[in-house]
């Protein structure tokens, strides 16, 4: 279980507070207005920024001061996920070993992840030789072979069309279930959140709210969500 305990992050007048726990093996969407702090929330969990107050806990252990690599977390960002000069295989392998000198077991993990995302046979290609969907799959393979129990996705498929995005969300959902991983995904598409997530965290007005059951939340949205959906 991931816990944000009285977390408060502040910079240049921007404030984000969070105080909640996240069940393991949950698919959770993070939604809210642009600039509300969705990426900031993920950065706090991933360890790229540090809160001024509060603690981040994983299975009861304080990881607030752990470097990103020493956290139970794999990240997938919207932009710049692939290095253009590296092959698909190498781009994925970076998730396992940044030296790219892989053991046989590590190599198997990379090949397994590439196969799982449907890129078997594409190992030698460069990112420029991939479609948008294939590039997303390659980036996902890197996150997968990191073998971390919590996957943080920050609008990773925003550049894809709706059908392809849905396909990728389904793939992430399937993989998360197979490997019993939790997924926290920022989305600016309420429909994607409904489709993908069991629970939703609303980020608005300086607060990342505790996750709420998706259907219940959309059936009875708080004001911040109504404003965001534009039907309030
Ligand atoms: P969201 O992901 O919900 O759109 P962010 O977490 O990126 O929001 O941004 C939260 C706040 O932090 C905003 O006020 C934004 O302007 C500010 N911010 C985001 N990134 C940076 C940055 N690299 N440097 C300074 N301020 C930033
Ligand atoms: Mg963002």
């Amino acid at each position: 279980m991931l816990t944000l305990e009285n977390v408060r992050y502040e910079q240049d007048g921007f404030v984000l507070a969070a105080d909640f726990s996240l069940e393991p093996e949950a698919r959770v969407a993070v939604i809210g207005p642009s600039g509300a702090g969705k990426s900031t929330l993920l950065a706090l969990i991933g360890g790229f920024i540090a809160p001024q107050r509060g603690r981040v806990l994983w299975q009861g252990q304080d990881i607030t001061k752990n470097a990103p690599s020493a956290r139970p977390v794999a990240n997938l960002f919207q932009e710049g996920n692939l290095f253009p000069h590296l092959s698909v295989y190498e781009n994925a392998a970076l998730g396992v070993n940044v030296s790219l000198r892989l053991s046989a077991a590590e190599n198997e993990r990379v090949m397994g992840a590439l196969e799982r995302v449907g890129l078997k046979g594409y190992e030698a290609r460069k990112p420029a030789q991939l479609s948008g969907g294939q590039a997303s799959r390659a980036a996902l393979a890197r996150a997968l072979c990191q073998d971390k129990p919590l996957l943080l996705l920050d609008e990773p498929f925003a550049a894809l069309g709706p059908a392809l995005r849905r396909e990728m969300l389904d793939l992430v959902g399937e993989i998360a279930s197979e490997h019993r991983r939790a997924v926290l995904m920022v989305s600016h598409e309420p429909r994607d959140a409904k489709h993908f997530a069991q629970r939703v965290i609303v980020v608005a007005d300086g607060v990342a709210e505790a996750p709420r059951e998706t259907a219940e939340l959309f059936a009875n949205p708080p004001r911040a969500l109504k404003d965001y959906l534009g039907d309030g």
Side-chain angles (χ1 to χ4, degrees):
M1 179 153 71
L2 177 80
T3 302
L4 301 182
E5 187 187 84
N6 290 315
V7 164
R8 187 182 162 91
Y9 173 82
E10 194 168 350
Q11 189 177 31
D12 303 330
F14 170 79
V15 174
L16 185 68
D19 187 36
F20 60 79
S21 289
L22 204 63
E23 293 302 320
E25 299 171 40
R27 295 194 307 276
V28 181
V30 180
I31 63 175
S34 183
K38 302 179 297 295
S39 296
T40 301
L41 176 67
L42 262 57
L44 284 164
I45 297 169
F48 299 102
I49 54 175
Q52 281 84 12
R53 269 206 267 149
R55 303 194 299 165
V56 181
L57 305 156
W58 175 254
Q59 316 289 40
Q61 282 209 334
D62 189 345
I63 58 166
T64 317
K65 296 205 156 64
N66 290 20
S69 61
R71 295 192 181 214
V73 164
N75 294 279
L76 187 55
F77 304 106
Q78 182 175 347
E79 306 286 349
N81 278 304
L82 298 178
F83 292 96
H85 61 293
L86 297 180
S87 68
V88 165
Y89 175 86
E90 290 166 328
N91 266 291
L94 283 175
V96 174
N97 188 331
V98 288
S99 80
L100 292 180
R101 292 196 194 96
L102 272 59
S103 68
E106 287 172 336
N107 175 58
E108 261 182 44
R109 230 158 82 200
V110 175
M111 295 304 279
L114 286 172
E115 181 168 3
R116 184 61 191 85
V117 300
L119 287 181
K120 196 177 159 80
Y122 291 79
E123 295 85 355
R125 290 215 191 175
K126 295 281 168 62
Q129 300 169 292
L130 300 175
S131 70
Q134 288 166 339
S136 294
R137 287 165 187 270
L140 179 59
R142 180 199 296 155
L144 276 185
C145 53
Q146 287 177 40
D147 222 4
K148 303 271 190 163
L150 180 58
L151 210 51
L152 302 181
L153 311 179
D154 197 347
E155 304 196 59
F157 312 128
L160 305 178
L164 207 47
R165 211 169 56 231
R166 190 60 67 93
E167 200 179 303
M168 290 303 299
L169 292 181
D170 287 341
L171 179 62
V172 170
E174 281 167 27
I175 290 170
S177 314
E178 286 163 21
H179 297 264
R180 318 190 80 193
R181 293 180 201 181
V183 180
L184 206 61
M185 185 189 66
V186 175
S187 172
H188 66 271
E189 282 286 336
R191 269 185 309 166
D192 284 359
K194 275 187 202 168
H195 177 75
F196 175 79
Q198 300 154 327
R199 289 172 195 280
V200 176
I201 292 170
V202 176
V203 180
D205 304 327
V207 179
E209 301 282 355
R212 285 174 57 182
E213 206 261 313
T214 306
E216 182 260 328
L217 177 75
F218 281 101
N220 186 18
R223 191 197 48 78
L225 180 58
K226 265 193 192 156
D227 291 349
Y228 174 59
L229 295 173
D231 61 4

